[in-house]
Amino acid sequence: MEYVRAFLVGGLICALSQVLIDRTKLTPARILTSYVVLGVVLTAVGVYGPLVEWAGAGASVPLLGFGYTLAEGVKRAVASDGILGIFLGGTTAAAGGITAAVLFGLLTALVFKPADKS
């Protein structure tokens, strides 16, 4: 049942993204950025945490989940380090994901030899 919940929530988030791309004039970059900010806002008001608990990876893997990770990291860091946690908490909590993205991007660029499209 856990897989079904993850699939439904993750699929709903992806379907909403596709609708926004197809039906609005928003660029994909603006939609992705909005998702991260929305994840932070929903975490701040206490809505996204229970959704992550219920849906698991279906809610924590999409970009809303990245915003959730940043917000939770800041919340924990502020509790332990005070005001300095505002600046350190998000990057500390998301360091693994950020490192993986940079590393896999580098490996992909080395293996596939990107070239100019023109």
Side-chain angles (χ1 to χ4, degrees), residues 1-14 48-66 68-69:
M1 196 62 179
E2 182 179 343
Y3 294 124
V4 173
R5 289 192 307 257
F7 177 77
L8 289 175
V9 171
L12 184 64
I13 292 170
C14 291
Y48 207 71
L51 182 63
V52 169
E53 291 294 321
W54 185 76
S60 64
V61 171
L63 279 173
L64 288 165
F66 183 66
Y68 167 76
T69 301

Side-chain angles (χ1 to χ4, degrees), residues 90-113:
T91 52
T92 302
I98 293 169
T99 302
V102 170
L103 179 65
F104 290 129
L106 174 66
L107 289 175
T108 302
L110 293 174
V111 169
F112 292 104
K113 308 276 191 251

Side-chain angles (χ1 to χ4, degrees), residues 9-24 26 31 35 38 64:
V9 171
L12 184 64
I13 292 170
C14 291
L16 178 61
S17 302
Q18 191 63 49
V19 168
L20 289 173
I21 290 170
D22 292 342
R23 304 280 183 199
T24 68
L26 292 171
I31 294 169
Y35 269 27
L38 184 61
L64 288 165

Side-chain angles (χ1 to χ4, degrees), residues 37-50 67-68 70-72 75:
V37 172
L38 184 61
V40 171
V41 171
L42 290 175
T43 302
V45 297
V47 174
Y48 207 71
Y68 167 76
L70 292 174
E72 285 295 316
K75 187 169 33 170

